[in-house]
Amino acid sequence: MDSKKTIIFKVSTFPRISETFVIHQVITAIELGFEVFVLVHKKIDFESSLHKELLRKYQLEDKIIQESIAIPKSKVFRLLKVVFLILKYCNRLSDIYNFYKFQPSKQKSISWIFYWVFYNKFDRKNTVFHVQSGNHKYPLDILKSKRN
């Protein structure tokens, strides 16, 4: 049985006045039969949007995923959590290592593993990420480069 293809639109904030183009891309994907989500750093109040009728009609508020990378503030807890995650995902050590080695040199702290955990919860075979702006590509660019 084939799963429905999913498109995840990655934007910084949603819905913005300037995001009319994104809203129409999302609606077109829905009308074409795709499962659609919008991955955001920050969700803006829908009531203040100029497009609130369209947002309601296509139930876009229910399709928002908040990008939540839970990195502990304490260095000790962060290190303990990293050890826990490595043990939890020991069957995926090669994936973890590949993600690590493609990190930009300035990002080689231990925080990168929290991004790996968040983004690896999405279905690899049936999900397409659409990054609306190049400065929002991290860490999808690394995940893509290691998978070929």
Side-chain angles (χ1 to χ4, degrees):
M1 179 169 104
D2 289 332
S3 294
K4 193 175 194 179
K5 286 280 188 188
T6 300
I7 300 175
I8 298 177
F9 291 84
K10 185 177 182 196
V11 296
S12 62
T13 55
F14 187 81
R16 278 204 260 184
I17 293 171
S18 62
E19 299 286 346
T20 302
F21 181 69
V22 175
I23 291 170
H24 287 287
Q25 285 182 318
V26 170
I27 290 170
T28 300
I30 291 169
E31 289 176 343
L32 289 172
F34 291 96
E35 182 74 34
V36 173
F37 294 98
V38 180
L39 178 63
V40 299
H41 293 290
K42 181 180 176 185
K43 178 181 165 189
I44 297 176
D45 179 39
F46 274 45
E47 289 305 312
S48 62
S49 174
L50 296 174
H51 309 289
K52 60 183 162 191
E53 289 81 24
L54 275 176
L55 298 171
R56 280 192 197 118
K57 179 180 177 182
Y58 290 93
Q59 301 172 336
L60 294 185
E61 192 162 17
D62 299 335
K63 298 178 183 306
I64 292 180
I65 301 170
Q66 183 86 34
E67 185 179 44
S68 58
I69 312 299
I71 302 173
K73 299 227 184 269
S74 162
K75 287 183 180 182
V76 173
F77 287 125
R78 191 176 321 141
L79 184 59
L80 290 172
K81 181 80 178 199
V82 167
V83 170
F84 168 78
L85 291 172
I86 289 171
L87 291 173
K88 181 178 179 180
Y89 295 104
C90 66
N91 61 330
R92 310 256 325 264
L93 285 177
S94 64
D95 286 345
I96 292 171
Y97 175 72
N98 282 331
F99 187 75
Y100 168 77
K101 76 179 182 182
F102 283 105
Q103 294 296 310
S105 59
K106 64 181 177 183
Q107 295 260 341
K108 293 227 176 173
S109 68
I110 60 173
S111 299
W112 58 268
I113 195 165
F114 298 98
Y115 286 90
W116 181 87
V117 169
F118 178 80
Y119 280 93
N120 272 279
K121 68 182 177 183
F122 299 106
D123 178 3
R124 293 179 182 197
K125 292 180 182 168
N126 293 308
T127 301
V128 173
F129 283 90
H130 174 77
V131 180
Q132 191 58 35
S133 174
N135 58 345
H136 302 297
K137 65 184 180 180
Y138 180 81
L140 296 171
D141 54 341
I142 297 169
L143 290 168
K144 181 180 178 188
S145 66
K146 74 177 187 66
R147 288 192 185 136
N148 292 330

